[in-house]
Amino acid sequence: MVKAASLEGLQAALREKARELGFVACGFTGAGTDPLRAERFEEWLGEGRHGSMEWMESRKVQRASPQGLWPEAQSVIALGMSYAPDGDPLALEGDAEKARISVYAQGRDYHDIVKKALKALARWLIEREPESELKVFVDTAPVMEKPLGQAAGIGWQGKHTNLVSREHGSWLFLGAIYSTLPFAPDETHRDLCGNCRACQDACPTDAFPTPYKLDARRCISYLTIEHKGPIPEEFREALGNRIYGCDDCLAVCPWNKFADAAHRHIKLAPREKLTAPRLAEFLDFDDAGFRQFFSGSPIKRVGRDRFVRNCLYAAGNSGNGALAAQVEKLRCDPNPVVAEAADWAAARLSPSP
Ligand code: B12
Ligand code: SF4
Ligand code: SF4
């Protein structure tokens, strides 16, 4: 049993260590169940808002509460790492030649970078409290990182549902450590959205007409990354030139005026070739070319077919006749989803009289 006074000292030292490891935000909360969070999550699933992400439903008990995943957990350490962009992520909107890749995917895969820092922090903690146990998570585990982050005081869930920080705006990757140590909880962060609705007005597909409640099935991030088949026609035009993810609701948030790329983790800098890529460069990818180009990037996981599918919708939206020959070739692609997207793009680029 760790004495309260020494735990307090450890908690303060841990915050310091987290900062040293590149986390710009660190807070603590309990591991028990928050009934309202669990209820809202259940409701969200019940309404089918997760679309085809069945993995959200299959481990819902574990996701709904930290102790549902690991009954021995006593506290949660919520951590945030900045990936603030250098410029305006919306600058390429409507560009007929360039494609837009969301800021989070322009650099190296954040899972690797956040996980490495989490593990270093975990090692540090275990060295000091060898009797304690912990587990580290980033993104893929059944852990609700955003509400836990708010409960731990590192920011609040904005109307677009992502965690917003007073100091770092929208641009934080989240991670969590569950620990058997009973750390003192921080205060829940209060909601600072007020009357603002900039993110709702900016969303091209009206994916959260009810604030704080996203319908993933309408979200461009879901459609371009998670959704496997053809993207429903009603959303194709709204994709514009976005080929992987979407930043619009994040980018317009007024709290970003406090975000500073100087706080970005050094390993999360964007790769130059992904900040303003030419669409034409991507339309000829075969599987090997795609894998090589996106080695070490989170984009690799969607595979060549889904990626080229997205590029074809962007080509169809571009009004750029110079892409017509590349699009035409893809109408015979062995993948039927790619071939159908090429048909759609070709028809948009050269409409019949
Ligand atoms: C599934 C998922 C997605 C899905 C669904 C998104 C969503 N909003 O749930 C899709 C594919 C669409 C997606 C997109 C994106 N994602 Co994502 N995603 C996740 C993942 C894996 C799980 C999120 C989850 O639990 N969703 C379930 C819903 C129910 O949770 P919730 O939004 O917290 O729901 C609460 C509210 O709806 C609220 N609520 C419901 N009703 C009501 C009513 C009222 C009145 C109120 C006040 C509240 C309320 O209560 C619910 C429960 O607490 C997390 C990683 C993780 N393990 O947490 C990353 C994560 C959320 N994603 C992340 C990112 C960066 C993105 C994108 C920005 C990527 C991009 N640029 O394209 C977009 C943003 C889109 C958006 N506006 O949310 C980051 C967010 C970081 C942050 N600062 O918040 C995370 C945390 C990954 C990480 N480790 O950094 N994502
Ligand atoms: S990521 Fe884009 S499509 Fe999804 S909710 Fe935000 S603005 Fe809307
Ligand atoms: S844009 Fe406005 S409403 Fe949306 S998260 Fe930011 S402050 Fe909240």
Side-chain angles (χ1 to χ4, degrees):
M1 185 77 171
V2 191
K3 289 213 178 76
S6 79
L7 197 58
E8 205 181 307
L10 181 66
Q11 195 162 344
L14 193 147
R15 287 186 209 270
E16 207 37 56
K17 186 66 191 174
R19 191 161 289 277
E20 209 180 282
L21 288 167
F23 291 109
V24 294
C26 171
F28 297 79
T29 189
T33 305
D34 172 341
L36 185 60
R37 185 193 311 153
E39 189 187 306
R40 283 172 168 168
F41 177 49
E42 185 78 40
E43 194 182 285
W44 191 80
L45 288 172
E47 289 165 356
R49 287 169 182 257
H50 56 305
S52 62
M53 298 183 288
E54 284 103 11
W55 43 270
M56 299 231 34
E57 191 148 22
S58 61
R59 300 187 70 195
K60 64 180 179 187
V61 175
Q62 290 86 339
R63 199 175 284 273
S65 120
Q67 285 173 349
L69 172 65
W70 189 32
E72 290 75 23
Q74 290 297 311
S75 36
V76 176
I77 310 165
L79 295 139
M81 194 177 267
S82 169
Y83 68 102
D86 295 306
D88 176 8
L90 305 182
L92 294 178
E93 190 170 7
D95 192 306
E97 287 186 4
K98 305 276 174 58
R100 287 162 70 188
I101 292 176
S102 62
V103 178
Y104 100 84
Q106 289 176 9
R108 282 176 50 190
D109 195 333
Y110 77 89
H111 297 92
D112 302 339
I113 292 154
V114 176
K115 190 68 158 264
K116 199 166 170 202
L118 286 173
K119 283 186 174 168
L121 189 58
R123 271 196 305 276
W124 178 93
L125 184 53
I126 289 296
E127 273 164 23
R128 274 142 196 89
E129 282 302 332
E131 304 280 278
S132 74
E133 289 180 63
L134 50 75
K135 294 185 194 293
V136 302
F137 308 105
V138 50
D139 192 49
T140 50
V143 168
M144 294 191 80
E145 294 168 351
K146 297 179 288 176
L148 288 171
Q150 176 156 5
I154 64 172
W156 74 98
Q157 283 190 262
K159 289 180 185 170
H160 51 42
T161 79
N162 274 24
L163 192 96
V164 187
S165 146
R166 283 183 93 116
E167 294 89 23
H168 306 286
S170 318
W171 314 109
L172 281 187
F173 289 131
L174 304 180
I177 298 181
Y178 290 1
S179 165
T180 52
L181 293 169
F183 288 117
D186 286 314
E187 225 175 277
T188 298
H189 204 297
R190 71 189 173 89
D191 182 339
L192 295 176
C193 286
N195 292 330
C196 176
R197 47 167 293 132
C199 53
Q200 287 184 275
D201 294 339
C203 179
T205 52
D206 205 15
F208 51 110
T210 311
Y212 307 104
K213 214 170 162 185
L214 185 82
D215 190 340
R217 295 166 298 187
R218 300 186 66 84
C219 175
I220 290 172
S221 184
Y222 166 83
L223 292 167
T224 55
I225 303 172
E226 301 289 339
H227 181 78
K228 291 192 180 79
I231 291 183
E233 290 224 28
E234 62 172 307
F235 299 122
R236 292 185 187 179
E237 199 170 328
L239 299 176
N241 58 349
R242 297 173 197 77
I243 58 166
Y244 191 93
C246 173
D247 287 324
D248 291 31
C249 56
L250 305 189
V252 297
C253 181
W255 289 93
N256 288 332
K257 61 175 176 273
F258 301 109
D260 185 346
H263 293 133
R264 179 174 66 211
H265 191 283
I266 192 158
K267 292 193 177 145
L268 291 172
R271 291 158 88 176
E272 211 181 311
K273 61 182 182 179
L274 296 184
T275 52
R278 289 177 55 247
L279 197 47
E281 202 183 339
F282 295 151
L283 288 168
D284 295 333
F285 272 145
D286 60 11
D287 206 42
F290 170 81
R291 281 163 179 277
Q292 195 186 6
F293 190 90
F294 289 111
S295 151
S297 155
I299 297 175
K300 196 171 161 187
R301 82 181 172 94
V302 297
R304 175 266 179 190
D305 294 341
R306 214 181 303 167
F307 183 75
V308 172
R309 173 202 70 177
N310 296 343
C311 293
L312 281 162
Y313 298 136
N317 288 330
S318 69
N320 179 359
L323 300 172
Q326 286 174 288
V327 167
E328 194 56 38
K329 240 169 77 187
L330 288 163
R331 296 180 73 185
C332 307
D333 196 84
N335 181 290
V337 177
V338 172
E340 190 275 332
D343 286 346
W344 183 84
R348 305 244 318 168
L349 285 177
S350 33
S352 42

